[in-house]
Amino acid sequence: MKKAIVFIFLLLNFVGFSQSNFLRLHTIKVVNNQQDPMSNVPVTLIEKSTKQRISKNTNTNGEVVFEIKSGKEWAVNILEMKNCSFIYDFDKGYSTGRNLITYDIEHYRRKNRLKLDRKSLKISTIDQTKLVVIPHDSKTASVKLKIVKDDDSPLKNFAVNLTSYKLEQTFLGKTNEDGIANFIVPINTEFDIDIDGIDSFDYIDTKKAGTYNLQFTYEPTNIKETVVNDTIVQSIPKDIKGTSTRIAVKLKVNKLGGNDVSRELIYLQMLGTNKIYKGKMDKEGKVSFLLPNRSKYLIHFKYQKDVDVLNFSHMRGISNSESTIIYKPDPKLEFPEKFIPTPDQLFLKEFKDFITKQYPEPTDPVQLHIKWANDSINALSKEAVLELGFKIRSSNNYNLNGPPINLSLVVDRSGSMYGDDRIVALKKALLNFITKLRKTDIVSLVSYDDKAILLVPSQPVGDGKYLKDMIEDIEIGGGTNIYNGMVMGYEQIEKKKLAKGTNRVVLLTDGYGADDPLITIKKSKEYNEKGIELSAIGVGEGYNQALLSQLASTGGGLLNFIGSSKNIESVFQKELTSLLSPCVSDVKIEVEYNDKIVFKQLYGFPFKQKDGNSVQLKLDAIYAGLQGIGLLKFDLNHPDKSIEKSPVIIKMTYFDPNKLKYDEKIEKVYLKWLPKEGKIELILEAEQKKLYAIAVLNQGLKVMSENFAQGNYKEAIDHIANVQKNIKEIFPNSQDKDVEQLMNEMTEYSSHLSRFMFNKESKN
């Protein structure tokens, strides 16, 4: 009877197995550096395309067995070692496999360290190519690097270098008849091994005095390479094949619309370095490269950036790769004169992104900070600038008993997110962010490039392990489709929507998507009307401020800009405090002026001019620790000494949730009359000058775009010239890179406008 039961059990298993393509029983054994088994260690498999996740702990023998019934390639993750091994090449039917993995976190971190762009260093060279005898003392180490080819024969007379970023030195070496390159180098130093033009091919660290021997296989590249600065052009034969260290890459480029791409250029940027491989397509749109493996390459065309990513970071052995790439030229890059921005398309970096000043921590929930840029005027003074600042009291005591949270993190993983180590900093910030959430808070995780992928369906945070694994698994892709990622995030919020609590999508993107912004905004509003908020985080110099500001303002969340990876952590801290910390609300500021000091413009906040002599602004997004700075520009109406008795009055009202009532603060500021001749400087402080210059430049760009939209092309050009002249008067001999960038942007728009006018007049 027992045999029959066993037979039926096996038959049921066979029937279940026969319904799938394969069944792999794969055993993974984990050992430490002493090769002792490691028990009760979590081993997680993540399928690279579907993001399916399986997690188990090792037994007392350090082993864990997985039943794999689907997928093409599974990444193995053990504690902090991510993608430390891969399982693939599944045969149809039943098969078994086995991996022995040594858990060596120090080696893993060193091996997977981000490549450093050496442009930022001034690296000198030390020639050791003729070193034969290699004596060393207590402060030096001898290094012997033996390099063999694929057939195990020594690689003779070949250049090999050791580079130390700490010393900013490269030690030049060359292999001898035995394939050995000899070096004498300082101890307690990390060195990257460079070979055949490949930076950081491997590494060796001299922790103490002695002799270090290392052998690795490298098959030299037998093709001609022309290197100009950081750009590499290869002469590739038709029968190109991969080697143990280089991948034969064949690309077929199809241009959208079927247009001819022959002779057009394609650029492969080796991520983490400053190297770019340049190729030219043939008449069929084909191009080949022989690329170093263990790297990722971001694809660019002349008129389309960040197209896709070729990921060869996990490839080992002799490999070949073939891909088809769709080339969709961006008309804004191809014909810039046709795309001078209208007001709704204009990208502006608000001056608040450049503020370094920090107000002191207030004792009250909110504190005003009012100061004239120069409070002294005379009869020649025509204008005055007032700094209007405020600070919300900080709070690190998150409200653990507050309303629940239903959050969807929608993360852009397009190729340009790799720049400035943004993707690394982002993942680190996200990992820290989720540790501050409560176990019962609901979170989903979506990543997107040109396609959206649901990494974690909407569910309670729990112990956070699932979220942590999937955040760390995010990898760079290509393209950007904001709409798809955003909608998937909204859909996840709807599945677990809270009747009482916060339902919010946090959308992070680094640029313009392939989707229509108007459609994206319309779709977002549909969900906003259902009570789902949206916060937006713009990353990089070219983020679509026009789109993200509208999404955030209608979505009721925050809008933040990340200029560099250093800012990512603080941005997520703001988002966290806005979600979890008690704070003031319904903040309104009203500025009253008079006939002597007449309001002209407010930079830094949206405002509404009321009847009479007052202007009002309302702050929508409030969170603990928030600091705001605005600049008010006033015209002075025939000033004289009586102006000292004509103050500008600032009133702030806000609701204090702790007192359950509204509070009010009032401040008055006066100008001082100086009966002296000569022009008085408008602004004294350097930072205020910079903020004012950026504000005026931004306002100038807005007026330029409005003139362009109305067909007043000459007025637009003239306005640019007037604004630039004004900035040079306020900010003479400025070496500030941010001000210069905006000045250059204005000059570029002026050039585009002139070309646009010329083309238009030529047609007429």
Side-chain angles (χ1 to χ4, degrees), residues 50-109:
T50 65
K51 300 302 177 183
Q52 184 181 349
R53 174 182 177 270
I54 312 172
S55 187
K56 293 184 177 181
N57 285 19
T58 57
N59 59 22
T60 54
N61 296 321
E63 294 183 343
V64 59
V65 180
F66 292 96
E67 291 187 0
I68 302 175
K69 301 178 181 179
S70 62
K72 295 181 179 179
E73 181 181 13
W74 292 77
V76 181
N77 304 282
I78 303 173
L79 295 174
E80 294 180 65
M81 287 174 42
K82 308 301 177 182
N83 297 330
C84 58
S85 185
F86 294 86
I87 305 171
Y88 46 84
D89 290 337
F90 300 104
D91 296 324
K92 288 187 177 181
Y94 175 83
S95 63
T96 60
R98 187 176 184 85
N99 284 66
L100 175 64
I101 299 176
T102 300
Y103 188 79
D104 186 342
I105 190 60
E106 185 177 348
H107 170 71
Y108 170 82
R109 288 172 179 165

